[in-house]
Amino acid sequence: MNASEFRRRGKEMVDYMANYMEGIEGRQVYPDVEPGYLRPLIPAAAPQEPDTFEDIINDVEKIIMPGVTHWHSPYFFAYFPTASSYPAMLADMLCGAIGCIGFSWAASPACTELETVMMDWLGKMLELPKAFLNEKAGEGGGVIQGSASEATLVALLAARTKVIHRLQAASPELTQAAIMEKLVAYSSDQMVATLGTTTCCSFDNLLEVGPICNKEDIWLHVDAAYAGSAFICPEFRHLLNGVEFADSFNFNPHKWLLVNFDCSAMWVKKRTDLTGAFRLDPTYLKHSHQDSGLITDYRHWQIPLGRRFRSLKMWFVFRMYGVKGLQAYIRKHVQLSHEFESLVRQDPRFEICVEVILGLVCFRLKGSNKVNEALLQRINSAKKIHLVPCHLRDKFVLRFAICSRTVESAHVQRAWEHIKELAADVLRAERE
Amino acid sequence: MNASEFRRRGKEMVDYMANYMEGIEGRQVYPDVEPGYLRPLIPAAAPQEPDTFEDIINDVEKIIMPGVTHWHSPYFFAYFPTASSYPAMLADMLCGAIGCIGFSWAASPACTELETVMMDWLGKMLELPKAFLNEKAGEGGGVIQGSASEATLVALLAARTKVIHRLQAASPELTQAAIMEKLVAYSSDQMVATLGTTTCCSFDNLLEVGPICNKEDIWLHVDAAYAGSAFICPEFRHLLNGVEFADSFNFNPHKWLLVNFDCSAMWVKKRTDLTGAFRLDPTYLKHSHQDSGLITDYRHWQIPLGRRFRSLKMWFVFRMYGVKGLQAYIRKHVQLSHEFESLVRQDPRFEICVEVILGLVCFRLKGSNKVNEALLQRINSAKKIHLVPCHLRDKFVLRFAICSRTVESAHVQRAWEHIKELAADVLRAERE
């Protein structure tokens, strides 16, 4: 395929994307397929000779779409949102064309420098303590990781390296293995200190745990994967109080800040804590500026060596929405979750299980786990909406997460009517 | 931005991408900027109100492009190639629109199932032993990781978990810490068994090391990050001999197989070795099929929880090139590296440092490291082509890697003429 064919096919693909997004409400949110559905539909091996683009795009509708769970349908209320916006898609297209690998400053200076500045922009939106920012050559800084899991692992490895160095400096006779054997990582039942857990969007109290960590020289990593995006709104910023005690902080703009996956934002107070743990300097990656103290080589901040130009999508999204547009988006989702909450509260058969703070409502039928399991089973079999459950202590609970960029009050109302009907069926079946 | 504005802007972006690729030869391959160039060019914080798309796309040319190292320029001969093709870009656009997160089968069945089949397609192209394939419900299978580093880490953690389980089964009194303290990971000076090292594209002898590993019950992970793509050609397949002894094998289609970053292909002989190490089953991720034995939940195969629909770009590329097209592409690159090799060999001032097997030529001026460092410095200051060096034992060596999809004999010839001129300057300066 040459550039002129790409011009033609690329524009067709843009229309396909726009059609998909515009028509997504008409597609069944959860697919009908059974495990193994796809293999019989395609050849057992790659073709020797090229297929045509028409064949492929036809197969997308025939083979792929029937097996897609439509995360951006306004009837998708499962898990947590994954971000989707047109500006992010445009930026990702550009990222694909530039196709640079930003493992060092020299490998593509713009890739590193835009990331550093975008992480400062985002840190300022959250009113992060200045110690986490890179500007004015402080000791802190931000980096885009692929996922919160990677950020947690990076924090854990950095913390381990730091404590080993500290103990070995104090007691040179200690071996690394002897120290490692004694190391303890404290965590809650959701891992690390969390602001907005996946299960029920609960919050750890950083103002209590933070000072203890600082006093005992314990690395504090704070994960706000989902909730973090909300902290750009002044009315939710208090949920982040205590982050000043943290050594590292992470949240996922790819969840709720309209920056398509993957984009997990991580800040540290001391860049050298990361680069001390991950430094890798083969000759073929050395460049003239690396020891100048002026530059950032992000390969020292992460597990993978390679990295895409992911800050482009932050830049496009932040500029095309503006901070006010992003705040309005968060507020709309929170308002919709409260709307659903109040519908649930008006129905005496149901209960709300956890205080609704952001975009997640945990609710259930008053009664046994069995009846709630039956309700969820009916909901997900009907496939008009899609939800997933959680366990809160010993209770089986339904999670209603506001997810889609295009979800409106009407969708929430329709979802609730549907849930009520199925609940009536379940309760009737139980009585019979 | 709504769908109709996206239709317009998306098509403009397609043209921008095509213009960039068509005109890349006219751009200076390595940028002129100094560290810190970007920050003064953009505001210190995100705008409160939206900017226009015109402003942003103008800034791409004004602010971003001057700081880009053009990895897809036919004058880029540094590092190793990073893949770029139009079919992969089209697939990535679609991936962005679907925007599903495939951490479990249920989260988007098509995402998991296409990946499983594409890894089988690719495994067959390489003639991997059947034990690595997923089809017919064997014990093996493939997964797309983000990078070879992640694949290595995953293999290491899986190997560790496996040996701990084995030793604890044999000696239940052993604690995990006591076992961990004794564990040893053997590696070469390039880490793990490698086919085609980054430094000089050398090959470990799997037929020697493999049987020893199997006899001693040592996990063997084989990394062919760059070279792996070449094994789709029958004439290079012998380089993979011995992979039958490996427990896990990995290479990067995102380097040399026209599938844009990130797409690192990893296979294991026993899926349960991975899922035993990484299994994660909170209630909100459970689904009705997961214990059926029929499905794959890829979150158990990797460090991150989330994952994009990356197999789409394998599908598009394999189908639009066909196996023959991909083979032709590899062969063209190998031929160009031999063409450069023969140019170097014809010049008595130069020497070839390592046998040229695939697309990398390691060469130097006969003489001191200093004179070779001076030559590289001149090359990269002139910025007509871009190379990086390596150290082979104590020698400073220049690496000439065939990288761009569009590089032709004429570019290689021009690069060599340019290198010869600069070498003459260096040698003259040395004599003076």
Side-chain angles (χ1 to χ4, degrees), chain B residues 79-94:
Chain B
Y79 314 111
F80 267 140
T82 184
S84 174
S85 72
Y86 292 121
M89 287 181 219
L90 292 168
D92 254 351
M93 288 163 67
L94 179 61

Side-chain angles (χ1 to χ4, degrees), chain A residues 287-302:
Chain A
H287 55 87
S288 57
H289 291 295
Q290 73 174 26
D291 298 317
S292 65
L294 291 171
I295 58 96
T296 299
D297 283 341
Y298 272 127
R299 73 178 176 281
H300 303 309
W301 296 54
Q302 61 174 19

